[in-house]
Amino acid sequence: MAARGVERVLAKCEACIIEGNFYEAHQMFRTVFFRYNSQQKFAEAADLLYRGALILLQHNQHTSGADLSLLLLDVLNNAKSPVSDDTIARVTGLFEKMDPECPERYPYLTKAINWSRKVDKDHSKRGHPDLHQRFGVIFWHERNYAQARYHYIHSTDGEGCAQMLLEFHTSHGYPSEVDMFITQAVLQYLCLQNKTTANICFEMYTQKHPKIDNGPPYRLPLLNFIWMLLVALEGGKLAVFTVLCEKYQVSINRDPHYKEYLDQIGQLFFGVPPPQRTPQGLFGNFLQNMLGAAGSDDEEDEENLVAGKGASSSGSTNSRMASGSSSLLRDSSSPLMATSASPSKTEKTFDLD
Amino acid sequence: QSTDNSWQSVIPQDWIPVISQDSVRQQTQRPQPPLSDAYLQGLPAKRRRMMG
């Protein structure tokens, strides 16, 4: 059986590593990997790469460890290996051991998410929630809250997200934002049609945050708004939604983006027709950004997938940003405060499923 | 403010006192101070770049 082959190679490489011949070990892993790969022995190849990468990373050989890690994701991709607890543990385990500063880490992250998108039809837009959850935990441990937050929002771990947000708020936010941190998360979960996680996250955050009194109802109007909004989602009555948005307009205006999230939530849960807009309008951009990977090609996804990673802007990004900013000025077409919106085109500028 | 109370018939009755109290609270609410970097990091990546 070929597994024995893997063991033999590993034994040799381990010997190399003990002697400090990291270069030789790395090359040996690569050579054997390419042999397996050309023989289509993907399981063996993946096993070898995982264990090789792990040994190298454990010996602080970050570049060669990352190299094998990236090769592992290529194999998972090519072999269309399904997302399982075991593969998630391996993929994120290597990520955790990579040097946070090493330049391969971010490409590795996006490659991992893209693998989960490709092999799992249910999560072909944003990547597998369990994979996001693991990345969220790792970033949280590294106190990289912005990244942790992004991945938690794409996970189904509302409890973990709440605890992370609580810590993020108390360590880096302003006291006046105690209700805004959770509002932002809940509204984003809802835009991603993840009602269950939104509910759990809200419950945990409000229960555990030392600066929030017992409720509902709460002392802070914005929290009451979110509480009632979450209840209203169940009934799905547009009139209720409209009353809530009217009565809490002052609180909603605290962050100009809330209105956009609520427009989207109105469409998703309360049958509000989408506003008329140009196909490349601000809102389309906005959602694509938030959803990460809404139906675009890979290259663009890699850019979108990870928040907090600034930098690169391709030509298409620039043009989309330009068209987005021009429609910033045109903000009155929102159906949020109106029960009867203007008749909509049925065009889909964004796609949530 | 508006004396139109028709909204009260639309929503669950136990919400009425909550919303009424919040309406009063919101009238005296101070304007939102500038938001922290931490909070703004929750915005979609490109949006932050546009604002920055």
Side-chain angles (χ1 to χ4, degrees), chain A residues 50-260:
Chain A
Y50 168 68
R51 295 166 73 173
L54 194 62
I55 295 175
L56 289 166
L57 289 172
Q58 280 165 345
H59 287 80
N60 289 320
Q61 299 302 303
H62 287 290
T63 307
S64 48
D67 175 61
L68 296 187
S69 302
L70 284 163
L71 283 176
L72 169 63
L73 288 176
D74 287 339
V75 173
L76 295 181
N77 245 316
N78 294 338
K80 298 194 167 54
S81 306
V83 178
S84 66
D85 289 350
D86 187 49
T87 39
I88 287 180
R90 288 185 160 205
V91 165
T92 57
L94 292 178
F95 181 79
E96 194 168 16
K97 293 201 166 52
M98 286 181 193
D99 178 2
E101 302 298 319
C102 92
E104 291 88 359
R105 209 179 186 223
Y106 173 65
Y108 179 85
L109 173 65
T110 53
K111 217 172 196 180
I113 306 263
N114 281 335
W115 155 68
S116 78
R117 289 176 49 212
K118 278 206 185 98
V119 300
D120 196 315
K121 282 200 171 61
D122 294 340
H123 305 103
S124 60
K125 286 270 150 64
R126 297 154 216 150
H128 199 286
D130 295 347
L131 188 60
H132 280 296
Q133 196 268 349
R134 288 300 310 156
F135 283 128
V137 171
I138 293 167
F139 280 121
W140 182 13
H141 289 164
E142 293 172 5
R143 312 222 166 166
N144 187 341
Y145 295 104
Q147 288 285 337
R149 186 189 181 287
Y150 175 83
H151 290 286
Y152 268 113
I153 291 291
H154 291 78
S155 80
T156 52
D157 183 4
E159 185 170 346
C161 185
Q163 281 171 337
M164 184 277 300
L165 282 176
L166 193 161
E167 193 180 302
F168 191 19
H169 172 253
T170 45
S171 63
H172 290 80
Y174 298 153
S176 64
E177 294 167 336
V178 61
D179 47 357
M180 296 181 77
F181 269 68
I182 186 59
T183 297
Q184 189 184 44
V186 166
L187 296 180
Q188 288 180 355
Y189 273 129
L190 294 179
C191 286
L192 295 165
Q193 292 184 287
N194 194 347
K195 196 166 65 173
T196 312
T197 313
N199 263 303
I200 294 169
C201 191
F202 181 74
E203 243 169 67
M204 292 306 298
Y205 183 91
T206 50
Q207 270 175 30
K208 297 214 162 166
H209 202 299
K211 300 288 180 199
I212 294 176
D213 306 333
N214 288 341
Y218 304 93
R219 194 174 41 83
L220 297 164
L222 188 58
L223 292 179
N224 288 328
F225 172 71
I226 293 296
W227 158 53
M228 289 183 277
L229 173 67
L230 287 168
V231 175
L233 292 178
E234 298 308 319
K237 286 205 189 76
L238 178 57
V240 177
F241 178 66
T242 308
V243 166
L244 289 178
C245 290
E246 271 170 15
K247 293 292 172 190
Y248 287 90
Q249 210 166 349
V250 173
S251 295
I252 292 165
N253 286 339
R254 290 172 62 194
D255 177 347
H257 300 100
Y258 289 166
K259 196 149 133 355
E260 294 172 29

Side-chain angles (χ1 to χ4, degrees), chain B residues 9-34:
Chain B
S9 62
V10 173
I11 56 160
Q13 294 307 290
D14 49 342
W15 290 1
I16 293 172
V18 179
I19 292 177
S20 301
Q21 190 175 27
D22 283 344
S23 297
V24 176
R25 281 175 180 158
Q26 289 181 108
Q27 278 169 20
T28 58
Q29 198 163 296
R30 287 178 305 153
Q32 180 62 40

